[in-house]
Amino acid sequence: MSERYDAKAIEAKWQQAWADARAWEVADPSDLAAPDTPKSYVLEMLPYPSGSLHLGHLLVYTIGDVATHFRRRNGMRVLHPMGWDAFGLPAENNAIARGGHPRVTTEANIVAIRASMRRIGWWIDWSRELSTHDPAYYRWQQWQFLRFLERGLAYRKGAPVKWCPNDQTVLANEQVLADGTCERCGALVESRLMEQWFFRTTDYAQALLDDLETVDWPESIKARQRNWIGRSDGAELVFRIEEWDEDITVFTTRPDTLFGATFFVLAPEHELVARIDSEEVQAYVRRASAKKTEERAAAEEKTGVFTGLHAVNPVNGELIRVYVADYVLTDYGTGAIMAVPAHDQRDFDFARAFELPVRQVVRPTAGEVDESAPYLQHAEGETLVNSGEFDGLPAPEGGRQIVERLEREGRGRFAVNYRLRDWGFSRQRYWGCPIPVVYCDACGIVPVPDDELPVVLPDIEDYKPKGRPPLAQAEDWVRTACPRCGGEGRRETETMDTFVDSSWYFLRYCDPANDEAPFDRAKVDYWNPVDLYIGGVDHATMHMIYARFWMKVLNDLGYIGFREPFASFFSNGWVTSGKTKISKRSGSAASPDAVVERHGADAVRLCILFLGPADQDMEWTEEAAEAMARFVRRLWRVVNEVAEQAPKGEPEGGALARKAHETIAKVTDDVGRRFAFNTGISAVMELVNEISRDPGGRDAHFAAQTAVSLIQPYAPHVAEELWQRLGGERLWEQPWPVADEAMLERETIEVVLQVNGKLRDRVQVAASISDDELVALARASEKVRAHLNGGEPRKTIVVPGKLVNFVV
RNA sequence: GCCGAAGUGGCGGAACUGGCAGACGCGCCGGACUCAAAAUCCGGUUCCCCUCGGGGAGUGUGGGUUCGAUUCCCACCUUCGGCACCA
């Protein structure tokens, strides 16, 4: 009998061996321009060190780790680094609530998480570790910001912004959830007019949309980004306000309905509305702005007020009434619309409430028109009516011709509108990267010179925002000489959104110690784009859009040679542990530390991937962890038996050897191409079951070596130990096994014999059998003959290697 | 409303380009080893009929293509996720 399996001892032993060999570090090739081996950059989204590791981390980093091992052993130079998204609100709020500097708590968390990660045995190149709160890192972020600023890609403007009253800071649009609450804390977000820093993401809206075609991402993630960018094709049309003789542009996707515009609406926040000298109008505007965005959308009845003004329809000169109504949004399109109640539900509702005319201008070619609802179709089958010279044209064509005419008259043009808006990135909080500018009364906004970077975040006493950013307390820090005129200047007291930190961190891993530039272009161009990016869907529209935007800018500025950061993306599922019974012994809920302590790292790594497909949500259960611990023990026992009993040497090509080769083919496909980790593990379990039937027998040694080698990416420690017991050395350096195709061909295969599609018999035949021989063999089968009833088949279907089917 | 994903045993889930549906695991049932229990090992486990051999039904529903459909096509139902007074 072999000795008891001791996970803790084996895992510690091999982790020490790898550390001694510095096995997990990866060097750049000696010639970056002509690399010796293919590279692969495997990256998971960097963790936020606000607490300790959780089961979600366990999944993400184990997926990346398995991919890392697999690619490494397939002869690739694999970069698999780790870093810390250290800035951000939770650390700061925690500091406010419990005292202590956010840096202290954050760094303590990093120490703990790093220890957990090492205990799990992830194959991470710790020599490239970075943290976003390190001045050596954010120095270069400030440097890049200044390059953006020079090109006008970072700018300041006063704009209505989303304000979280709980976190006392501005939020980016992406950080506000659909129900109008803060993505971080859940508080209802307000709208405020504030001076803010923005990045010009809208300049890149079309590129962000187009380049989605070039990346290998799940369709659902691409769809979310398309949705978020929200391209609409239509036209901008110019209406004149008759009383003021002033032009207002509207955006519409339905220029074909222009003759049906029977009134005109301005958003309450539209700049012209403030100039309307009417107490009734201004009272309405005040009421509307008091309402939350959410209430506005939920309102059953359309509300609004007539301004007394009239707009001139550019296509026919018709005068229509101008209303102010809050169903028109200020931040989409131009904040003004032409209202076509006959063909738009919202305009129809408003027209009903205010008894405005409804004029149908698009008719279906066949069928009756229902006057009680707007007619919304817009296709070749629909034709224009009541539209002057354009009558009878198909709707889309009519729309084109209307815009073309207005274009000639200077009253319109084809236009594209995006839902995407510029990224507001300044935050009125302490724990973030300082924005390196100085305000000077004489010179305005003055960038801090490159050689004075980094602008280091100063220590302060109280992190709580009190109507001004907490950094304003650091008066000695704020007061500084203007870099341009030397006069009195004040430093920017707002900090950057943490999404800036995570927009380029994957570049820094390629050259983490560089103190002369953010990175060396040759190194970054060698490793990037990231070949496999792994993370949660929750970052599909924030981080993943910002990082793409950042790369496009860096490419345009000539700092990098690629435009997309993430060539392929794997979106991992959520892990829950709701139903897990908390063990009385451990006394704590399912945390990676606790489950690793109970079951060992190998079992836990296997378990998280065996629970189900890694891109779907899953539930962690103690039963599942026990099951995988059981498998590891079984593997241990079976392989040890093989090591003691089975003859070594070349495989003899028996059934077990064949099974081993089949398993190689299956696992290679599952890990390498399909990311089907659960079925890959199943295949190895199946092989181990086979071996256990006769652990001293023919081919058992080879089969055991194969099983151990294949399970190595999942359970590297036990695999290493067992490999050694089977007589091998340094499994981590062994090439990934290759299925012997010739053997798979050589052996016999099972062929299914059918009559009329029904299974009648099975025969084992040589894989090399010819179709004719196979058919003859099938005819000879008594079971088949019984169903042929002595007759001749009408048709014979042969699927090579699979079946013969006689149709009678 | 628009966009996306998914419906398979008691459960998690397999079935890669149309070819033995239910791999692998959990749970359950039976057995071995134990004074006993735990652990471990062996066998069984979609449902319904059947005396053994076996037969019939079956992958959300209804059609279709095909010798053959979980897989392809059409229509529908349900669930989950994203976006949305977006002009």
Side-chain angles (χ1 to χ4, degrees):
Chain A
M1 283 303 290
S2 57
E3 84 265 33
R4 221 181 123 76
Y5 167 67
D6 184 348
K8 215 171 271 184
I10 289 170
E11 286 163 7
K13 170 184 168 184
W14 288 105
Q15 282 169 13
Q16 190 57 50
W18 298 327
D20 292 345
R22 299 179 87 84
W24 52 62
E25 291 180 20
V26 61
D28 297 334
S30 50
D31 184 354
L32 288 163
D36 44 356
T37 49
K39 68 94 186 177
S40 189
Y41 191 172
V42 176
L43 182 69
E44 309 91 1
M45 291 177 181
L46 83 175
Y48 188 80
S50 63
S52 51
L53 219 56
H54 55 69
L55 293 173
H57 292 123
L58 192 62
L59 176 62
V60 193
Y61 299 113
T62 304
I63 293 170
D65 201 51
V66 168
T68 299
H69 282 293
F70 180 78
R71 289 170 188 221
R72 240 175 13 82
R73 291 182 57 204
N74 272 288
M76 291 176 161
R77 189 184 289 273
V78 182
L79 175 57
H80 186 223
M82 184 59 66
W84 316 103
D85 194 8
F87 279 137
L89 269 176
E92 184 169 345
N93 287 342
N94 188 54
I96 292 168
R98 288 180 227 163
H101 195 289
R103 183 186 298 111
V104 174
T105 51
T106 300
E107 289 179 353
N109 287 336
I110 289 174
V111 169
I113 295 175
R114 194 195 290 118
S116 301
M117 287 181 166
R118 284 177 176 271
R119 175 67 188 87
I120 295 164
W122 286 324
W123 202 267
I124 289 161
D125 185 348
W126 291 104
S127 73
R128 295 171 185 262
E129 180 181 354
L130 62 79
S131 184
T132 58
H133 79 298
D134 182 352
Y137 177 82
Y138 68 69
R139 170 185 180 186
W140 297 111
Q141 184 162 310
Q142 293 173 341
W143 185 92
Q144 289 174 81
F145 161 84
L146 292 174
R147 303 292 84 76
F148 281 44
L149 184 64
E150 286 162 7
R151 305 299 203 291
L153 290 164
Y155 67 97
R156 235 173 124 73
K157 74 172 176 187
V161 291
K162 318 286 185 196
W163 176 265
C164 176
N166 181 50
D167 290 335
Q168 292 272 304
T169 189
V170 160
L171 300 175
N173 289 305
E174 288 81 355
Q175 289 164 309
V176 182
L177 302 181
D179 60 358
T181 58
C182 170
E183 177 251 336
R184 276 258 189 250
C185 71
L188 202 56
V189 170
E190 299 169 0
S191 186
R192 277 199 179 187
L193 192 73
M194 280 182 79
E195 207 33 33
Q196 286 297 303
W197 282 102
F198 289 88
F199 285 123
R200 229 174 267 284
T201 40
T202 53
D203 277 11
Y204 287 82
Q206 191 59 46
L208 288 167
L209 194 60
D210 291 342
D211 292 349
L212 280 176
E213 302 304 321
T214 70
V215 294
D216 178 21
W217 292 8
E219 188 51 38
S220 59
I221 305 293
K222 288 190 185 186
R224 280 204 205 191
Q225 290 216 350
R226 284 194 201 102
N227 212 329
W228 193 266
I229 296 164
R231 176 182 164 123
S232 293
D233 284 87
E236 282 177 2
L237 309 176
V238 181
F239 284 67
R240 187 167 52 80
I241 301 297
E242 175 76 1
E243 288 79 358
W244 294 353
D245 194 21
E246 194 155 333
D247 286 343
I248 300 187
T249 301
V250 301
F251 174 79
T252 179
T253 53
R254 295 292 304 277
D256 55 315
T257 63
L258 181 53
F259 282 86
T262 52
F263 57 103
F264 192 95
V265 188
L266 296 170
E269 299 84 359
H270 196 281
E271 50 172 359
L272 291 186
V273 171
R275 285 163 43 190
I276 298 168
D277 184 19
S278 152
E279 183 45 39
E280 198 191 351
V281 170
Q282 298 308 333
Y284 177 79
V285 170
R286 282 194 297 276
R287 275 202 307 279
S289 65
K291 279 195 256 178
K292 304 272 188 327
T293 324
E294 200 188 15
E295 293 175 53
R296 277 212 211 177
E300 292 284 317
E301 294 279 308
K302 296 274 180 284
T303 62
V305 59
F306 178 48
T307 59
L309 302 171
H310 295 79
V312 183
N313 187 325
V315 80
N316 58 8
E318 190 178 356
L319 280 181
I320 54 178
R321 304 177 97 186
V322 176
Y323 285 79
V324 172
D326 66 7
Y327 80 92
V328 172
L329 307 174
T330 182
D331 50 6
Y332 185 80
T334 62
I337 64 155
M338 66 176 207
V340 185
H343 305 293
D344 182 281
Q345 185 67 53
R346 296 151 297 173
D347 297 345
F348 185 83
D349 295 343
F350 190 85
R352 273 213 168 158
F354 288 78
E355 292 174 358
L356 292 158
V358 177
R359 187 193 305 143
Q360 194 105 34
V361 292
V362 178
R363 280 268 152 88
T365 351
E368 286 298 300
V369 172
D370 175 9
E371 299 286 345
S372 67
Y375 180 70
L376 303 172
Q377 298 301 307
H378 173 241
E380 293 300 323
E382 277 68 39
T383 53
L384 299 192
V385 294
N386 298 327
S387 295
E389 63 195 273
F390 303 99
D391 278 359
L393 289 171
E397 177 57 25
R400 270 191 291 279
Q401 293 195 17
I402 287 172
V403 178
E404 278 163 12
R405 191 187 112 190
L406 292 179
E407 201 156 29
R408 285 193 296 275
E409 294 166 359
R411 307 297 293 171
R413 61 185 186 90
F414 293 103
V416 175
N417 191 62
Y418 299 94
R419 203 188 83 103
L420 183 77
R421 299 204 247 306
D422 279 346
W423 169 17
F425 70 91
S426 44
R427 297 289 178 271
Q428 293 65 42
R429 298 300 300 248
Y430 168 73
W431 189 230
C433 171
I435 299 172
V437 298
V438 173
Y439 294 96
C440 167
D441 286 340
C443 311
I445 296 173
V446 182
V448 173
D450 288 355
D451 59 14
E452 289 176 27
L453 298 182
V455 173
V456 177
L457 186 67
D459 286 344
I460 57 170
E461 294 297 316
D462 183 1
Y463 313 105
K464 200 166 178 128
K466 294 167 184 155
R468 58 172 195 171
L471 266 181
Q473 295 169 41
E475 286 172 19
D476 291 346
W477 177 83
V478 171
R479 215 177 303 115
T480 187
C482 168
R484 189 164 298 160
C485 68
E488 203 171 291
R490 294 181 60 78
R491 288 191 191 279
E492 174 64 85
T493 54
E494 300 184 342
T495 52
M496 293 190 208
D497 182 5
T498 54
F499 280 115
V500 181
D501 310 353
S502 56
S503 288
W504 71 285
Y505 72 103
F506 44 92
L507 304 184
R508 185 70 180 173
Y509 287 136
C510 304
D511 194 10
N514 198 326
D515 59 3
E516 283 167 12
F519 45 79
D520 178 78
R521 176 169 169 168
K523 289 182 182 175
V524 159
D525 282 355
Y526 167 73
W527 285 112
N528 286 277
V530 172
D531 295 279
L532 176 60
Y533 199 41
I534 305 159
V537 275
D538 46 327
H539 288 120
T541 49
M542 297 186 275
H543 163 57
M544 300 273 285
I545 287 217
Y546 297 143
R548 295 181 61 219
F549 159 75
W550 204 270
M551 292 310 106
K552 288 175 195 312
V553 173
L554 290 184
N555 179 253
D556 282 345
L557 301 186
Y559 295 117
I560 60 174
F562 53 95
R563 291 183 71 75
E564 280 294 330
F566 314 123
S568 80
F569 175 59
F570 184 87
S571 154
N572 63 273
W574 286 94
V575 187
T576 56
S577 64
K579 289 177 201 155
T580 299
K581 286 178 201 155
I582 296 165
S583 155
K584 281 172 192 161
R585 209 164 5 127
S586 74
S588 67
S591 75
D593 287 345
V595 295
V596 166
E597 176 66 25
R598 271 203 293 285
H599 305 289
D602 286 330
V604 164
R605 295 166 56 114
L606 280 162
C607 182
I608 197 76
L609 292 179
F610 187 72
L611 282 174
D615 59 350
Q616 281 169 41
D617 294 353
M618 56 189 81
E619 171 141 343
W620 178 276
T621 61
E622 194 53 28
E623 289 77 12
E626 278 163 14
M628 288 329 271
R630 194 145 57 221
F631 166 67
V632 174
R633 285 195 298 269
R634 180 172 162 80
L635 179 74
W636 176 261
R637 178 178 59 81
V638 170
V639 175
N640 271 298
E641 281 171 17
V642 170
E644 288 158 17
Q645 301 168 24
K648 294 182 183 174
E650 291 300 301
E652 296 176 41
L656 193 52
R658 188 183 144 70
K659 177 77 187 171
H661 280 288
E662 277 173 6
T663 309
I664 293 169
K666 166 109 181 96
V667 175
T668 303
D669 195 44
D670 284 350
V671 183
R673 187 176 63 84
R674 302 199 306 136
F675 300 104
F677 306 107
N678 53 334
T679 57
I681 294 168
S682 294
V684 178
M685 287 176 158
E686 216 179 321
L687 179 59
V688 172
N689 288 344
E690 290 292 326
I691 298 169
S692 73
R693 287 182 222 292
D694 184 12
R698 184 185 176 203
D699 292 334
H701 189 263
F702 169 70
Q705 278 185 319
T706 303
V708 166
S709 183
L710 293 177
I711 209 68
Q712 184 269 347
Y714 300 95
H717 314 86
V718 70
E720 202 68 61
E721 179 68 25
L722 289 173
W723 183 259
Q724 199 176 59
R725 285 167 189 237
L726 288 168
E729 277 183 9
R730 292 188 170 228
L731 175 56
W732 78 84
E733 288 179 351
Q734 298 302 313
W736 186 254
V738 178
D740 182 347
E741 293 295 334
M743 167 184 257
L744 294 178
E745 291 291 317
R746 197 188 320 129
E747 289 286 321
T748 59
I749 50 172
E750 187 179 65
V751 170
V752 173
L753 307 184
Q754 297 180 344
V755 178
N756 280 340
K758 287 197 196 301
L759 173 71
R760 294 306 173 192
D761 203 359
R762 294 171 192 161
V763 287
Q764 287 286 333
V765 297
S768 56
I769 191 171
S770 74
D771 286 4
D772 289 345
E773 287 170 318
L774 190 55
V775 171
L777 201 72
R779 272 171 191 279
S781 159
E782 284 193 20
K783 287 180 182 171
V784 168
R785 278 219 306 269
H787 288 90
L788 286 175
N789 297 321
E792 278 297 302
R794 182 165 57 84
K795 192 174 167 188
T796 302
I797 295 153
V798 181
V799 180
K802 282 180 181 163
L803 66 82
V804 180
N805 184 24
F806 295 116
V807 183
V808 292

